Amino acid sequence: MEGHNNNKPLDVFNNFKGRRAALIKALTTDVEEFFKQCDPEKENLCLYGIPNERWEVSLPAEDLPPELPEPVLGINFARDGLPEKEWLSFVAYHSDAWLLAVAFYTGARCGFGKADRKRLFDMINDLPTIHEIVTGAEKKQQKEKSRVSNQSKNKSKTNAKKRAVEYRGKVTKRQQKYEEEDDDDDDDDDEEEEEEEEEEEEEEDEDGLDTEKDEEEEQGETLCGACAEKYTEDEFWICCDKCETWFHGQCVKITQAKAKFIKQYKCPPCSSRRSRT
């Protein structure tokens, strides 16, 4: 966008809408062509949405730092390692993140204050995300809204009756509260004994729970740097010796047999950075 300082929230939003429409085309109506262009044999590829509602798959910008925030790298490497729906979902939520980054980067360049940023976000937030459109979540949300609307109409008819019942209930609760306060003194000793027994049981259980939690956390925190899926024991993984990020072998096209002959493995993003310097 030229003339950053003259842009208003609506200008940035229109730029956002054009890029968003382009990315939606790539992931829905043009999905076959998009799939073909994301060849895993090529270098790191990115999906770009252009404000004129056209999309393109190409290499990242060579200029450092880039003029605008860059989309996620290496979407082509994950293409054959995931079912098509999951891969498109993966690209969709990364595309949503990129659109927000570009919009608010532009807003910062334009010197937007709190009111302008809020206006820009509100306009963006009124639109469904690319991920919601690609996965069909948008249609589910619309159905849920219509169902909730019908329920709220039925509830409004009974509100008056509920208020009357609640008022009568308040009087009953006050009486019950006074009765319970009289009984509290008698129950204090019994409660202290129960608390001591519960504390002893909790101390006995803590040692066993700590070991189980540590094992679950170690396994649950490892995510693939390409597809963002969790670690599973039945799949081959490989770690980048430079950035120490783990990847599915399938996602980076490295088999377990091939890995035995690699002395120092560098993932696609790290290899790409080295070629640019």
Side-chain angles (χ1 to χ4, degrees):
M1 294 177 65
E2 297 180 358
H4 282 298
N5 293 333
N6 297 325
N7 288 321
K8 298 179 180 179
L10 185 59
D11 298 321
V12 179
F13 176 65
N14 287 333
N15 181 281
F16 174 93
K17 281 202 305 182
R19 295 179 187 275
R20 173 180 173 273
L23 296 172
I24 291 172
K25 284 181 184 177
L27 299 175
T28 55
T29 56
D30 298 344
V31 68
E32 292 184 6
E33 180 61 26
F34 171 62
F35 190 88
K36 291 177 184 177
Q37 292 191 29
C38 292
D39 186 354
E41 299 299 327
K42 295 182 180 179
E43 297 183 28
N44 288 307
L45 295 177
C46 303
L47 172 61
Y48 292 90
I50 305 173
N52 63 3
E53 300 188 8
R54 295 180 60 190
W55 59 271
E56 63 178 27
V57 174
S58 63
L59 295 170
E62 295 182 359
D63 297 334
L64 293 175
E67 183 182 356
L68 290 174
E70 286 290 301
V72 65
L73 287 169
I75 56 173
N76 51 318
F77 295 134
R79 191 195 74 177
D80 294 342
L82 293 170
E84 184 174 337
K85 287 184 179 179
E86 291 184 21
W87 178 66
L88 292 174
S89 174
F90 162 77
V91 177
Y93 58 69
H94 275 295
S95 297
D96 283 320
W98 176 66
L99 285 177
L100 286 173
V102 171
F104 281 88
Y105 168 83
T106 307
R109 290 284 301 273
C110 296
F112 285 0
K114 182 178 179 181
D116 285 339
R117 291 195 303 271
K118 183 178 185 304
R119 185 181 174 197
L120 174 60
F121 178 78
D122 288 344
M123 288 188 291
I124 291 174
N125 203 37
D126 284 338
L127 298 174
T129 65
I130 298 174
H131 185 262
E132 288 171 343
I133 292 173
V134 171
T135 59
E138 180 201 11
K139 294 180 181 178
K140 293 179 182 177
Q141 290 175 0
Q142 290 177 347
K143 289 181 181 178
E144 181 66 17
K145 284 181 182 178
S146 62
R147 185 181 67 82
V148 171
S149 177
N150 291 334
Q151 287 180 348
S152 63
K153 290 178 181 177
N154 295 332
K155 286 181 180 178
S156 63
K157 296 178 182 178
T158 59
N159 280 344
K161 293 181 180 179
K162 284 186 178 180
R163 291 192 192 100
V165 172
E166 286 172 358
Y167 178 76
R168 291 196 298 270
K170 287 179 182 177
V171 178
T172 305
K173 286 180 180 177
R174 287 196 196 101
Q175 295 172 348
Q176 184 178 357
K177 180 181 178 182
Y178 296 145
E179 292 173 358
E180 288 175 350
E181 287 176 352
D182 292 338
D183 295 335
D184 281 345
D185 294 334
D186 298 333
D187 295 336
D188 284 344
D189 294 337
D190 293 336
E191 288 178 357
E192 289 177 359
E193 291 178 1
E194 291 175 0
E195 288 175 358
E196 290 175 357
E197 291 176 0
E198 288 175 358
E199 288 175 358
E200 291 175 358
E201 291 175 359
E202 287 175 358
E203 289 174 357
E204 292 175 358
D205 294 337
E206 279 177 358
D207 295 335
L209 289 171
D210 287 342
T211 304
E212 294 176 1
K213 286 180 180 178
D214 290 341
E215 293 176 357
E216 290 174 0
E217 288 175 359
E218 288 178 2
Q219 294 179 357
E221 291 175 356
T222 305
L223 301 176
C224 175
C227 68
E229 292 295 323
K230 290 184 179 180
Y231 169 81
T232 53
E233 295 181 356
D234 59 345
E235 294 178 305
F236 169 66
W237 284 58
I238 187 167
C239 180
C240 175
D241 291 312
K242 188 170 183 181
C243 66
E244 297 184 353
T245 302
W246 286 89
F247 296 85
H248 286 108
Q250 276 188 326
C251 291
V252 293
K253 293 193 168 293
I254 300 293
T255 63
Q256 191 168 2
K258 186 177 179 181
K260 293 179 181 178
F261 299 97
I262 300 175
K263 293 182 179 179
Q264 188 177 30
Y265 173 69
K266 288 185 180 179
C267 66
C270 289
S271 300
S272 176
R273 288 192 209 105
R274 184 181 177 187
S275 64
R276 281 192 236 145
T277 56

